[in-house]
Amino acid sequence: DAGITQSPRHKVTETGTPVTLRCHQTENHRYMYWYRQDPGHGLRLIHYSYGVKDTDKGEVSDGYSVSRSKTEDFLLTLESATSSQTSVYFCAISADLNQPQHFGDGTRLSIL
Amino acid sequence: QKEVEQDPGPLSVPEGAIVSLNCTYSNSAFQYFMWYRQYSRKGPELLMYTYSSGNKEDGRFTAQVDKSSKYISLFIRDSQPSDSATYLCATRPRPGNTPLVFGKGTRLSVIA
């Protein structure tokens, strides 16, 4: 299995609070991605990174920010969580854009 | 039209059956094709990866790409209850800087 660790694995929080999810990899892959997965919508890309401090927006980036200060860590932040951001969040990594992505086991986030 | 369309199912088959899972895509520039399997409460895992037309076989699994019809298929022979999962197709264009585009997934149940 690709060395990808997501933390926390589960979180329940209240509307309006800030939330940070962490993805840590041990594969030294250049690309890292954050997705959310919701029933009826499948996997939707939030943001991705193609190197330290290099990030770009995905399909559903509004309300989310990311940071990558080290190759191995990619953080996803919800500055002020809303109930619509209740979802399962997956981190993925790939060596480059043409290589398959490998996924972590997800973070279940509930915003009440 | 969505870039990648996939019938969500659910699809229920008896053990031992041949399963056919399908996706259509709209962009003729798509050249990389992948199939992922996702068990409940887990991240997607890569099953098959191809960038050419034709068939690619791996054990009980065969991936088929028809670029003229923009159609990709995954066949599972001698299906087992352990194959019960959601199957996602994914593709991306070459050349380009676009990350993967995923189908919404088809949920498969193999009944013993």
Side-chain angles (χ1 to χ4, degrees):
Chain A
D1 289 345
I4 307 168
T5 304
Q6 291 187 234
S7 58
R9 292 297 313 279
H10 301 87
K11 186 173 182 66
V12 180
T13 190
E14 294 183 347
T15 300
T17 60
V19 177
T20 295
L21 308 183
R22 180 180 182 241
C23 179
H24 178 79
Q25 61 144 330
T26 58
E27 306 296 319
N28 200 35
H29 281 349
R30 179 183 176 192
Y31 286 82
M32 299 185 75
Y33 312 81
W34 277 108
Y35 292 88
R36 61 178 290 176
Q37 188 174 41
D38 305 285
H41 292 279
L43 279 167
R44 291 183 290 176
L45 182 65
I46 304 171
H47 283 279
Y48 69 102
S49 169
Y50 46 96
V52 172
K53 300 190 190 303
D54 293 323
T55 65
D56 206 349
K57 294 179 179 180
E59 178 187 357
V60 291
S61 58
D62 287 349
Y64 302 94
S65 62
V66 290
S67 65
R68 191 170 179 198
S69 59
K70 298 185 290 184
T71 298
E72 58 266 33
D73 289 327
F74 193 32
L75 303 180
L76 176 71
T77 297
L78 292 64
E79 300 290 348
S80 178
T82 68
S83 58
S84 65
Q85 294 175 312
T86 291
S87 187
V88 181
Y89 290 85
F90 288 101
C91 174
I93 65 173
S94 68
D96 63 52
L97 274 179
N98 294 332
Q99 295 300 311
Q101 294 177 18
H102 299 278
F103 286 80
D105 279 338
T107 293
R108 292 186 169 272
L109 178 62
S110 295
I111 301 164
L112 307 177
Chain B
Q1 182 185 8
K2 296 287 285 185
E3 288 188 290
V4 180
E5 298 274 9
Q6 187 174 7
D7 187 335
L11 180 63
S12 185
V13 300
E15 183 176 359
I18 297 174
V19 177
S20 172
L21 303 168
N22 307 296
C23 286
T24 58
Y25 61 95
S26 59
N27 188 342
S28 58
F30 286 154
Q31 294 201 13
Y32 289 90
F33 306 95
M34 299 161 202
W35 283 97
Y36 285 82
R37 177 175 63 195
Q38 185 177 20
Y39 291 116
S40 179
R41 296 184 172 268
K42 301 286 283 185
E45 58 177 324
L46 181 70
L47 266 182
M48 304 284 283
Y49 168 46
T50 182
Y51 54 85
S52 60
S53 283
N55 294 353
K56 182 176 181 179
E57 194 172 315
D58 184 1
R60 296 185 296 111
F61 298 90
T62 299
Q64 185 176 80
V65 177
D66 182 346
K67 290 184 180 178
S68 62
S69 302
K70 302 194 191 75
Y71 199 81
I72 56 178
S73 300
L74 178 71
F75 298 97
I76 307 174
R77 291 185 299 280
D78 186 25
S79 56
Q80 303 295 310
S82 59
D83 295 327
S84 298
T86 296
Y87 291 81
L88 301 98
C89 61
T91 182
R92 70 171 295 274
R94 177 185 181 179
N97 293 319
T98 309
L100 287 180
V101 178
F102 284 86
K104 292 182 180 180
T106 299
R107 196 169 75 197
L108 171 68
S109 293
V110 181
I111 310 301

